[in-house]
Amino acid sequence: MAKIDKTSEEGISKSVLYLMSAGAGLVVANNYYNQPLLNLMAKDFGVSESAVSNIPLFTQLGYAFGLLFIIPLGDKFPRKKMVMIDFIFIIASLLVMALAPSLPVLVISGFFVGFSCVVPQVFVPMAAQLAKPEKRGSAIGIVMSGLLIGILGSRFISGFVGEYFGWRVMYFIAAGIMLIFWGLLKLKLPELQPNFFGTYKELMQSLWGYFKTESSVRLAALRGALGFAGFSAFWTTLVFLMEENFNYGSGVAGTFGVLGIAGALAASLIGKLSDKMNKNRLIIISTILMIVAWVVFEFSGYSIIGLVIGVILVDMGLQSLHITNQNIIFSRNPDARNRINTIYMVGYFIGGALGTTTGAYAWEFFQWQGVASLGLIYSVLILIFHLLFKKSLAEEN
């Protein structure tokens, strides 16, 4: 424990912080390569759009299960050792996905990709723990900027690779990237010793205790879930919109990910703001940005310019909301940051799975107008719930 305390007082080095930021982006990208490739996968296996949407759905469900059953172990086992072992499972899952002979195998392997690719949610509390308290929001913002750039950049890369080389090649490339980064982390990632010494059963039981007693964590999880639900509905159906209304392929759909990087690059600034600005006000501003984005989407079914504006706004809004949520929850219970992060992120990705499913059906029955209305409803609900229960933030500001 003395080593951890000393590191925290000195702060985290920039090189380690940016290594974790890059790692967060590269690992989380594995969960999102599939979205611009869905139409190619559907044609390859001869299935419907709603059937192939099970791939991102099960990937996100896998991520939620990984968050629930793997991330709490960060409070019980040495962090670096845990990350190194997890990378082996990531590589194996990606290779199975690349070789999948049928849609059911692809869906199941997608689940295990999501289940194993939870490393970014180890890096975020690590950054919070290693940073000085007054720099915590900034450190979280830097790691989160890498994570969001990974999410958005993954769509551009996979869209391009899928269109010119086929969707399977993307997963072989991903496995190679993970192998290289495993070596870099083994050399550079610092070790953090655990601070929980009970059994795994006691560790998991404590999650329920924190969930019951921490109202700010429950509210943050609800806000994050609704925000990510709209975000996932958009990205799941964008490739269908591009093909149906604009006659574009997966490459153009993936290009929209590059536009969203503008929002991701603002992450470090947002992190600094969340260290200084009233968090209640920052959450309201973030939510309004998402509401405006979905209103723009309502009128952009045949407008590329409207889609571009909407993508930038929704990415900035969600990023602001997410970082502020995490700064709030990490300022409490420093000895249980991985478990607190588990509660928050499980809710967040359950919201993503909900958005993927409802977005696919909104598209199937109501096309783009239905998707845009769905996202608007999710964002308005964030504002409603936040205003109803914002008193739980009082002690955080």
Side-chain angles (χ1 to χ4, degrees):
M1 288 299 293
K3 183 178 179 181
I4 295 174
D5 291 339
K6 182 181 178 184
T7 307
S8 181
E9 288 171 6
E10 294 175 354
I12 185 172
S13 71
K14 288 289 185 182
S15 61
V16 171
L17 187 58
Y18 284 109
L19 178 73
M20 290 196 290
S21 179
L26 289 170
V27 174
V28 80
N30 297 320
N31 293 330
Y32 298 95
Y33 288 135
N34 60 63
Q35 290 180 348
L37 303 175
L38 293 178
N39 59 335
L40 298 176
M41 293 170 173
K43 290 174 183 176
D44 194 5
F45 293 113
V47 297
S48 68
E49 293 168 345
S50 58
V52 82
S53 70
N54 283 323
I55 298 168
L57 168 62
F58 273 76
T59 301
Q60 288 169 342
L61 286 174
Y63 198 86
F65 274 86
L67 290 168
L68 180 59
F69 293 108
I70 296 177
I71 294 305
L73 293 173
D75 288 333
K76 182 172 173 59
F77 296 109
R79 236 64 59 83
K80 181 176 180 177
K81 183 178 180 181
M82 175 181 164
V83 168
M84 294 295 97
I85 294 172
D86 191 65
F87 257 75
I88 295 171
F89 289 97
I90 294 173
I91 294 167
S93 299
L94 288 169
L95 288 174
V96 172
M97 202 159 185
L99 297 168
S102 65
L103 181 61
V105 174
L106 194 60
V107 170
I108 293 169
S109 57
F111 176 89
F112 283 103
V113 167
F115 185 75
S116 57
C117 285
V118 292
V119 169
Q121 301 310 324
V122 177
F123 289 156
V124 174
M126 276 184 77
Q129 181 172 347
L130 290 168
K132 294 178 180 179
E134 67 273 16
K135 299 285 188 179
R136 184 178 295 126
S138 179
I140 293 170
I142 289 172
V143 176
M144 286 304 303
S145 67
L147 188 146
L148 193 57
I149 288 171
I151 293 174
L152 300 169
S154 65
R155 297 184 175 100
F156 170 73
I157 293 168
S158 67
F160 177 82
V161 172
E163 188 160 327
Y164 293 101
F165 303 101
W167 63 267
R168 293 182 188 273
V169 173
M170 185 64 249
Y171 287 99
F172 282 118
I173 292 172
I177 292 172
M178 291 296 96
L179 182 61
I180 293 169
F181 207 79
W182 180 89
L184 290 174
L185 289 173
K186 188 171 180 62
L187 289 173
K188 300 291 185 180
L189 190 68
E191 184 62 279
L192 286 178
Q193 297 302 320
N195 45 31
F196 180 88
F197 302 101
T199 65
Y200 181 70
K201 181 180 179 181
E202 291 169 340
L203 183 76
M204 297 304 293
Q205 286 176 337
S206 69
L207 289 172
W208 179 243
Y210 285 115
F211 181 78
K212 287 193 300 182
T213 58
E214 296 293 331
S215 59
S216 62
V217 176
R218 293 197 302 271
L219 181 56
L222 179 59
R223 289 190 303 255
L226 291 169
F228 196 49
F231 191 76
S232 298
F234 171 81
W235 284 108
T236 299
T237 57
L238 179 63
V239 66
F240 304 141
L241 175 69
M242 290 292 100
E243 190 169 306
E244 182 80 19
N245 291 11
F246 299 95
N247 200 30
Y248 292 144
S250 62
V252 174
T255 302
F256 273 83
V258 177
L259 299 171
I261 290 177
L265 292 174
S268 58
L269 173 62
I270 294 164
K272 291 177 183 177
L273 281 176
S274 70
D275 283 329
K276 301 174 183 178
M277 187 175 175
N278 180 282
K279 296 177 182 63
N280 178 63
R281 187 179 301 119
L282 190 54
I283 286 170
I284 291 173
I285 292 171
S286 304
T287 307
I288 290 173
L289 271 177
M290 288 188 286
I291 290 172
V292 171
W294 284 107
V295 171
V296 171
F297 284 142
E298 288 273 8
F299 301 97
S300 302
Y302 293 91
S303 170
I304 291 293
I305 293 175
L307 290 173
V308 168
I309 294 170
V311 165
I312 293 172
L313 290 175
V314 79
D315 284 337
M316 289 185 68
L318 182 63
Q319 180 74 335
S320 301
L321 179 71
H322 188 44
I323 290 174
T324 306
N325 279 340
Q326 289 190 307
N327 202 3
I328 290 168
I329 65 174
F330 288 146
S331 66
R332 303 171 62 88
N333 303 294
D335 59 334
R337 286 195 176 108
N338 285 279
R339 282 168 284 169
I340 292 294
N341 196 39
T342 293
I343 296 168
Y344 172 69
M345 292 305 303
V346 166
Y348 192 81
F349 277 89
I350 286 175
L354 174 67
T356 296
T357 304
T358 55
Y361 282 107
W363 171 264
E364 189 168 337
F365 293 108
F366 303 104
Q367 300 293 293
W368 184 248
Q369 200 70 39
V371 175
S373 297
L374 179 69
L376 181 60
I377 290 169
Y378 283 138
S379 296
V380 169
L381 285 175
I382 296 172
L383 191 60
I384 290 172
F385 284 121
H386 177 69
L387 293 175
L388 284 175
F389 301 108
K390 66 181 179 181
K391 286 183 179 180
S392 66
L393 278 180
E395 60 191 81
E396 308 290 349
N397 294 293

